[in-house]
Amino acid sequence: MMLNPTDEQLAYKAEVRRYLERSCPLSRTRARLEGPPDHDPDAWAGLARLGAPGLLVPAEFGGAGAGITEAAFVSEELGRVLLPSPYLSSAVLAARLLVLLGDKEANAAHLPGIASGDTVATVAFLDEHGRWDPSHVPVRARRTGDGWRLDGTVPFVTDATAALLLVPAVTADGLGVFAVDGAHAHTEPLDNLDLTQPLARVGLRDAPGKEIRAAGDPRDAMAETVRAALACVTAAQLGGAERCLEMTVEYAKTRVQFGRPIGAYQAIKHKCAEMYTRVQSARSAVHHLLDALETGSPEAAEAAHLAKAYCSQACFACASDTIQVHGGIGFTWEHDAHLYFKRAKASAHLLGDSTHHRAQLARRLAL
């Protein structure tokens, strides 16, 4: 089955694009790259006015109660402009995990702030390969007289300066998820290829945490949260690839060489055609995943692996071809092509690279 977006979903997507093109041009992102790695608070406030941080939050906690399709459409538009924002960390990972765990007290405490954008949250769960592995959780939690204490180091955390950390940890009874005040975490910023997506190593040493009581198995909640995040990461990759295609076609029409636009030459035509094919195939993979998630399809896991494996390669190939078609100027810092190239390379490894997801897909299909 393929996704069939409603008129309301498409209208909301168009409104987000208008806001980002008007208020968050890439020149604004470039200016922020000169400073410390962090999100753009003004742009985040604008997204909050559009209700983006609360899309996955139920209405009873101040959100829109929308589905993963709307969240992915926002991610696609963010991927087009490379906006530094905590959208994936806070609005998708943290919000989705809290809802799935189903702890009413925790939801009442944290979801209203996340929905309004006033609270930025993240989930500290990635292993040394940049993915979630429930068999290798680096944090341990122990019960003490005054609650819970957490110890361990999470190698990669997105938007680690967030006020609220949700931390999966191993307890004496199995896996648990804990809310930790960001002030109790030691954050070490990492040198990241993509400056628009800051990463950090987070250390917890006897850090106090409050257990989020899961209605079911926390491992199931984490697995579904990761699939939702994969939908949004691949949607952002789709947005970046599409923007690369637009930039390349426009340049091929206006750059004249030997008295003709370079787009008139067969080699350039073929590159643009290949980019277009990749973008449309990536869109099909993302929409297939969104439909599987929205309908609760038993094939959702396979669709997630397929989408991440393909979109990672498609986005990187489009970014690479953008640089090649632009020639010398495409290699310069002043041109935007390298920003898309770096985003494509970095996001290809986030939540597992193509090799990992192909292997997981083959395992699930018993190939």
Side-chain angles (χ1 to χ4, degrees):
M1 297 293 294
M2 291 301 297
L3 183 72
N4 185 23
T6 65
D7 291 341
E8 290 79 6
Q9 289 171 332
L10 293 174
Y12 183 71
K13 182 174 185 285
E15 182 60 31
V16 172
R17 178 175 295 191
R18 281 192 292 270
Y19 164 71
L20 292 174
E21 289 180 344
R22 180 180 67 250
S23 303
C24 307
L26 201 49
S27 57
R28 178 169 174 165
T29 295
R30 278 181 165 276
R32 293 197 62 83
L33 297 183
E34 304 298 330
D38 199 1
H39 71 271
D40 186 333
D42 293 332
W44 183 241
L47 287 172
R49 288 192 293 272
L50 290 173
L55 286 174
L56 297 180
V57 175
E60 63 180 300
F61 299 112
I68 192 61
T69 297
E70 289 87 346
F73 281 175
V74 172
S75 296
E76 182 180 341
E77 297 307 318
L78 293 173
R80 287 176 57 88
V81 298
L82 305 181
L83 181 70
S85 84
Y87 185 77
L88 176 67
S89 301
S90 192
V92 179
L93 282 166
R96 189 67 172 159
L97 180 57
L98 283 168
V99 170
L100 290 171
L101 289 172
D103 185 329
K104 292 290 187 181
E105 181 181 348
N107 287 349
H110 303 304
L111 285 178
I114 291 174
S116 67
D118 294 334
T119 298
V120 174
T122 190
V123 183
F125 72 109
L126 298 175
D127 65 10
E128 65 273 16
H129 302 292
R131 56 186 186 243
W132 164 245
D133 185 349
S135 65
H136 293 88
V137 180
V139 179
R140 299 292 182 268
R142 67 186 191 282
R143 194 187 299 270
T144 64
D146 58 349
W148 290 88
R149 296 283 172 165
L150 280 68
D151 294 277
T153 300
V154 185
F156 300 106
V157 179
T158 58
D159 300 295
T161 58
L164 173 65
L165 299 177
L166 302 180
V167 185
V170 176
T171 72
D173 300 320
L175 184 70
V177 179
F178 298 84
V180 177
D181 190 318
H184 296 298
H186 173 69
T187 301
E188 178 188 348
L190 299 174
D191 292 330
N192 190 25
L193 177 65
D194 178 15
L195 299 178
T196 68
Q197 286 186 321
L199 291 172
R201 182 181 294 111
V202 171
L204 299 171
R205 299 292 180 269
D206 200 36
K210 183 174 178 59
E211 183 182 16
I212 300 174
R213 294 179 175 83
D217 189 338
R219 292 173 297 182
D220 294 336
M222 282 298 303
E224 191 169 339
T225 298
V226 170
R227 285 194 284 272
L230 284 170
C232 290
V233 169
T234 54
Q237 290 174 322
L238 167 61
E242 185 176 47
R243 183 66 190 122
C244 284
L245 171 63
E246 292 170 357
M247 292 165 52
T248 303
V249 170
E250 181 62 29
Y251 185 78
K253 290 179 178 178
T254 57
R255 176 70 168 98
V256 175
Q257 190 68 282
F258 303 112
R260 301 171 65 190
I262 62 172
Y265 296 101
Q266 192 175 53
I268 302 299
K269 289 180 180 179
H270 285 179
K271 272 203 181 298
C272 291
E274 289 166 358
M275 292 174 69
Y276 177 81
T277 301
R278 294 189 197 105
V279 167
Q280 295 307 317
S281 297
R283 191 180 310 280
S284 294
V286 172
H287 284 194
H288 173 57
L289 171 56
L290 293 175
D291 180 76
L293 293 174
E294 293 282 21
T295 59
S297 169
E299 297 180 354
E302 289 87 346
H305 292 310
L306 172 65
K308 186 57 165 64
Y310 183 79
C311 291
S312 292
Q313 291 186 319
C315 182
F316 182 71
C318 286
S320 300
D321 284 348
T322 296
I323 292 177
Q324 293 299 319
V325 173
H326 280 77
I329 194 174
F331 288 84
T332 64
W333 175 265
E334 289 74 19
H335 198 275
D336 294 334
H338 72 94
L339 298 175
Y340 287 93
F341 181 89
K342 292 171 181 175
R343 168 65 70 88
K345 188 64 173 177
S347 65
H349 293 275
L350 183 62
L351 299 176
D353 62 11
S354 293
T355 300
H356 166 74
H357 284 284
R358 282 197 300 269
Q360 293 300 308
L361 181 59
R363 181 183 64 80
R364 294 189 69 89
L365 297 177
L367 297 179

